[in-house]
Amino acid sequence: MSLDNKNSELKLRGIPVSEGVSRGRVVVLNRHRIVPAKTSFETLNPEAEEARFLAALDKTRQQILEIQKRLHDKIGAKQSLIFDAHLLVLEDPAVLEEVNRKIREEKLSSEYALYNATEKYAEALSAVDDSYLSERAADIRDVIQRVLGNLTGQSKQYGLKDLTEPCIIVANDLTPSDTANLDSEKVLGFITEIGSKTSHTAILARSLQIPAVLGLGKDIHELKAGQSILLDGFNGFVVISPSDQLLFEYGQLVKRQNTIETSLQKIRTEPAKTLDNHSITLSANIERATDVQAVLKSGATGVGLFRTEFLFINRTDLPDEEEQFQSYKKVSEALNPEPVIIRTLDLGGDKLLSHVNVSAEMNPFLGWRAIRLCLQEKDLFRTQLRAILRASAFGNLKIMYPMISGIDELDEANNLLEECQQELRVKGEKFSEKIEIGVMIETPSAAMISDKLAKRVHFFSIGTNDLIQYALAVDRLNEKIAHLYEPTHPGILRLIKTTVDAGKENGIWTGVCGEMASDLSMVPLLIGLGVEELSVASSMVPRVKMLIRNINVTQAKELADFALSSDSPKEILRRAKKLSREAVPNFFETKED
Ligand code: PEP
Ligand code: MG
């Protein structure tokens, strides 16, 4: 594909994380906190400034009432009440009096007067070690930012909910909860300054099938609101003011991709079996119960990973047992008799609850996350376990614990599960007595003790996204070190092999549900290492299946043998790609390397 930099066309490069091409106008999300400078004006007209301030308050009030109404219609009265606290801040007589005094007597701009008058309260509240008071500080800051946005004219850029027409979002970063909330009708694609392929933001982009390029770095500042751009989520390019010639070439590429998609429909119900008759279980990863439709369409054999934490984020309360039960039951029934592996809560890291005040951690991925959090917040965990158990009466559910790093954690989780089972028995509630339990292998320690773990569980699922970051000490979110995040590092391959072998020796299967399983270049290598199940985004199921159907397990084993004896990640990658490319050449035409 040719690119013409001579005209006004300018090409930027980032990390391709979600396939597809989109074309549209840029909307820049400005998430930076507005901190007004201290400016006093001798010539300031206090009446006019007060009137400007009152108008901004009024506008903010209207905006909040609108949000409240929207929330009320969408999720009910209880959730929308949180915004009452915001409205109260706008009406607080002490604050209003102080702002007016600062404008009149000190001739300060209303932005600074407001910021100064409220920030000290927010600071004092957040300094107290009390989650209720910290939440009030967050409320104050949130509503004040909204007023400041209205005063400074930046409010248009404030929120994702304000999008009125289809566009491409440009942002410093999008959190997983922002991404989960994206309206795929309005968001044609998104681009961020930071971020990487295995961040949950990237995983969600693939699941929502929104083309995305992350980790553009400072180049992102070339992108301005209103510009017309082309986003190439296959190769990680962003082109400003694309020429007609380039648009034509991309049009052709999209057509070819659509043809491939149509041809993949033909193998939807065919088995994921290699040319030499070796069967692989190909399942799908989901984030929400509604994703089940995509799973059914994809031709996957059930769900290999249900990331249940997405039920918990983006809301102002916790889902209770009944709500969780309904959600797990829906997936379980829809896919019955195929298996559905429900992963227990993996909160923490980059997935946080918006309404529970978790104090900032120096290393969130090494911190209060997943099973560690659940074993301390036992009520939260028990509620989820009971909901899963009850849903197990309606299909083929399995339970999987995330981030296990030692035997004690597994035993403790299983003890709690047993308590919940006992509770349900006493109450006469139905559940499957034969429910299978698995662990994710995503810490190096879990892989190293997989022989011990295997004696206590029914299956392993390797979470390569985390396993790679923990084993190589490479933050999975940091684009600056993305080149060091190497799935083909011999250290990683040995950890996978150790796990698979321990599983086989103990008669249990091992799958991979991390993004390595969706990477077409890695599929033969994983199969050669003995992995028996692959769980990938629904959108990737047909391609992975086609690839499996075009390789020989003998060749895959030869590749794995070479990889286990090699000391070069790059050479392993080269050979792995070659094998996949030979099997399905047209899947690779969009990749430059
Ligand atoms: C993994 O770590 O590979 C995994 C599947 O879990 P998550 O991406 O949700 O951390
Ligand atoms: Mg993980």
Side-chain angles (χ1 to χ4, degrees):
M1 187 154 297
S2 70
L3 286 164
D4 182 3
N5 281 350
K6 283 190 300 254
N7 302 328
S8 49
E9 197 173 78
L10 175 67
K11 178 176 154 192
L12 310 171
R13 187 171 199 153
I15 303 170
V17 305
S18 181
E19 294 193 343
V21 173
S22 49
R23 195 189 154 200
R25 295 212 172 268
V26 165
V27 165
V28 179
L29 281 193
N30 187 352
R31 290 306 204 86
H32 298 301
R33 248 179 104 208
I34 304 169
V35 181
K38 180 173 183 179
T39 32
S40 51
F41 306 94
E42 272 318 307
T43 53
L44 183 109
N45 174 347
E47 280 80 30
E49 192 62 9
E50 271 176 14
R52 196 167 77 85
F53 175 56
L54 290 178
L57 285 186
D58 207 41
K59 188 167 175 191
T60 310
R61 201 171 292 117
Q62 294 307 326
Q63 289 167 340
I64 294 175
L65 288 171
E66 260 172 49
I67 296 175
Q68 236 180 353
K69 180 168 179 330
R70 227 168 24 215
L71 267 184
H72 183 278
D73 295 347
K74 223 170 145 183
I75 47 179
K78 200 167 137 216
Q79 282 80 3
S80 70
L81 285 181
I82 176 145
F83 283 98
D84 280 352
H86 288 206
L87 289 169
L88 284 178
V89 175
L90 296 178
E91 280 152 23
D92 187 320
V95 169
L96 298 184
E97 212 176 283
E98 192 171 346
V99 174
N100 285 337
R101 191 188 57 72
K102 282 178 190 292
I103 294 174
R104 280 176 182 275
E105 293 173 15
E106 298 175 41
K107 296 214 180 269
L108 289 167
S109 69
S110 47
E111 287 92 333
Y112 184 77
L114 175 69
Y115 182 77
N116 185 266
T118 50
E119 185 53 25
K120 60 181 184 225
Y121 290 123
E123 239 167 52
L125 289 176
S126 56
V128 183
D129 187 15
D130 177 302
S131 63
Y132 177 80
L133 294 179
S134 315
E135 276 172 44
R136 298 292 74 78
D139 282 341
I140 293 179
R141 289 192 169 119
D142 195 348
V143 74
I144 297 306
Q145 282 297 311
R146 201 170 271 283
V147 183
L148 290 173
N150 286 327
L151 279 167
T152 56
Q154 291 182 34
S155 55
K156 269 259 165 297
Q157 300 177 351
Y158 191 79
L160 282 162
K161 302 233 168 57
D162 302 330
L163 302 175
T164 50
E165 52 188 57
C167 60
I168 296 181
I169 300 284
V170 173
N172 165 264
D173 186 20
L174 284 182
T175 62
S177 48
D178 286 335
T179 315
N181 248 352
L182 290 181
D183 175 353
S184 41
E185 304 264 294
K186 298 261 171 58
V187 180
L188 304 172
F190 67 85
I191 301 162
T192 63
E193 181 175 345
I194 62 175
S196 64
K197 212 164 190 149
T198 55
S199 63
H200 287 99
T201 299
I203 291 169
L204 280 165
R206 288 192 282 278
S207 159
L208 294 165
Q209 300 197 30
I210 299 179
V213 177
L214 309 190
L216 236 74
K218 296 288 166 232
D219 284 356
I220 203 160
H221 299 306
E222 299 290 335
L223 298 167
K224 305 280 180 318
Q227 262 171 348
S228 167
I229 63 165
L230 183 128
L231 184 162
D232 169 1
F234 291 107
N235 300 297
F237 294 132
V238 176
V239 187
I240 303 175
S241 309
S243 64
D244 288 347
Q245 172 62 23
L246 190 76
L247 290 175
F248 173 75
E249 289 175 17
Y250 269 99
Q252 297 296 316
L253 181 135
V254 170
K255 267 195 196 149
R256 287 196 297 276
Q257 290 301 319
N258 289 344
T259 314
I260 293 178
E261 292 301 327
T262 315
S263 71
L264 290 174
Q265 278 305 314
K266 298 195 187 105
I267 59 159
R268 203 185 74 87
T269 52
E270 298 295 321
K273 210 181 244 186
T274 62
L275 293 169
D276 45 358
N277 263 332
H278 179 83
S279 288
I280 297 293
T281 306
L282 182 56
S283 343
N285 292 349
I286 62 170
E287 280 80 38
R288 297 153 308 184
T290 47
D291 294 341
V292 79
Q293 289 313 323
V295 178
L296 289 166
K297 254 175 71 185
S298 74
T301 312
V303 165
L305 167 66
F306 184 173
R307 289 186 165 95
T308 54
E309 51 281 1
F310 285 91
L311 245 164
F312 290 68
I313 57 184
N314 267 333
R315 51 190 292 164
T316 53
D317 61 355
L318 292 169
D320 60 15
E321 182 181 319
E322 187 58 26
E323 184 183 341
Q324 290 188 57
F325 162 67
Q326 290 299 344
S327 171
Y328 308 146
K329 174 172 171 259
K330 183 173 168 185
V331 180
S332 162
E333 277 181 333
L335 292 169
N336 197 24
E338 303 299 354
V340 172
I341 301 181
I342 308 223
R343 176 174 76 181
T344 59
L345 261 182
D346 182 8
L347 284 171
D350 59 346
K351 292 170 292 195
L352 300 172
L353 293 175
S354 42
H355 58 294
V356 173
N357 187 46
V358 176
S359 53
E361 294 180 290
M362 291 288 276
N363 292 304
F365 274 104
L366 299 182
W368 203 48
R369 191 188 161 189
I371 197 74
R372 302 166 179 187
L373 184 151
C374 285
L375 291 177
Q376 283 178 36
E377 297 292 314
K378 290 199 172 62
D379 285 344
L380 182 77
F381 195 32
R382 281 198 194 96
T383 306
Q384 182 175 41
L385 292 175
R386 278 194 307 267
I388 302 174
L389 284 170
R390 285 173 53 206
S392 70
F394 298 86
N396 182 4
L397 287 195
K398 301 177 197 290
I399 295 180
M400 175 159 79
Y401 304 127
M403 276 283 290
I404 291 289
S405 57
I407 298 289
D408 288 350
E409 279 168 338
L410 173 60
D411 286 349
E412 207 182 326
N414 274 337
N415 287 342
L416 282 171
L417 182 70
E418 177 51 43
E419 274 176 33
C420 293
Q421 289 174 324
Q422 192 48 31
E423 227 178 287
L424 295 180
R425 276 183 208 111
V426 172
K427 279 199 202 154
E429 296 256 21
K430 279 195 293 178
F431 67 93
S432 162
E433 289 280 356
K434 291 199 207 106
I435 192 160
E436 293 192 354
I437 311 298
V439 284
M440 289 195 71
I441 302 292
E442 44 187 356
T443 62
S445 60
M448 298 311 293
I449 57 162
S450 48
D451 56 332
K452 307 276 181 213
L453 292 169
K455 299 197 166 47
R456 292 164 154 83
V457 293
H458 299 95
F459 62 92
F460 286 150
S461 185
I462 306 182
T464 48
N465 304 338
D466 280 315
L467 184 64
I468 297 170
Q469 80 161 344
Y470 295 136
L472 301 183
V474 175
D475 181 348
R476 70 191 260 192
L477 301 183
N478 189 337
E479 72 288 351
K480 294 198 187 76
I481 47 172
H483 61 288
L484 298 175
Y485 189 95
E486 288 183 302
T488 50
H489 190 295
I492 300 300
L493 303 179
R494 287 180 194 194
L495 289 170
I496 295 176
K497 182 78 168 83
T498 303
T499 307
V500 169
D501 287 351
K504 284 198 195 313
E505 271 159 35
N506 290 281
I508 67 166
W509 59 265
T510 299
V512 172
C513 62
E515 295 305 296
M516 196 170 166
S518 324
D519 182 340
L520 295 177
S521 305
M522 296 295 108
V523 168
L525 182 55
L526 291 174
I527 293 175
L529 286 168
V531 167
E532 289 157 85
E533 183 241 22
L534 298 172
S535 192
V536 305
S538 294
S539 57
M540 285 304 293
V541 167
R543 280 169 199 255
V544 175
K545 189 188 276 185
M546 182 65 105
L547 170 57
I548 293 171
R549 292 171 58 82
N550 280 284
I551 56 169
N552 276 299
V553 78
T554 333
Q555 279 178 307
K557 280 190 179 142
E558 278 164 20
L559 172 68
D561 286 346
F562 163 76
L564 290 168
S565 63
S566 168
D567 43 20
S568 164
K570 305 259 171 322
E571 181 55 17
I572 301 171
L573 178 61
R574 197 188 64 74
R575 291 207 191 192
K577 270 192 174 158
K578 185 164 174 285
L579 188 56
S580 298
R581 203 186 286 253
E582 280 165 6
V584 283
N586 57 349
F587 290 176
F588 284 84
E589 74 154 344
T590 56
K591 302 277 181 278
E592 282 212 324
D593 42 8

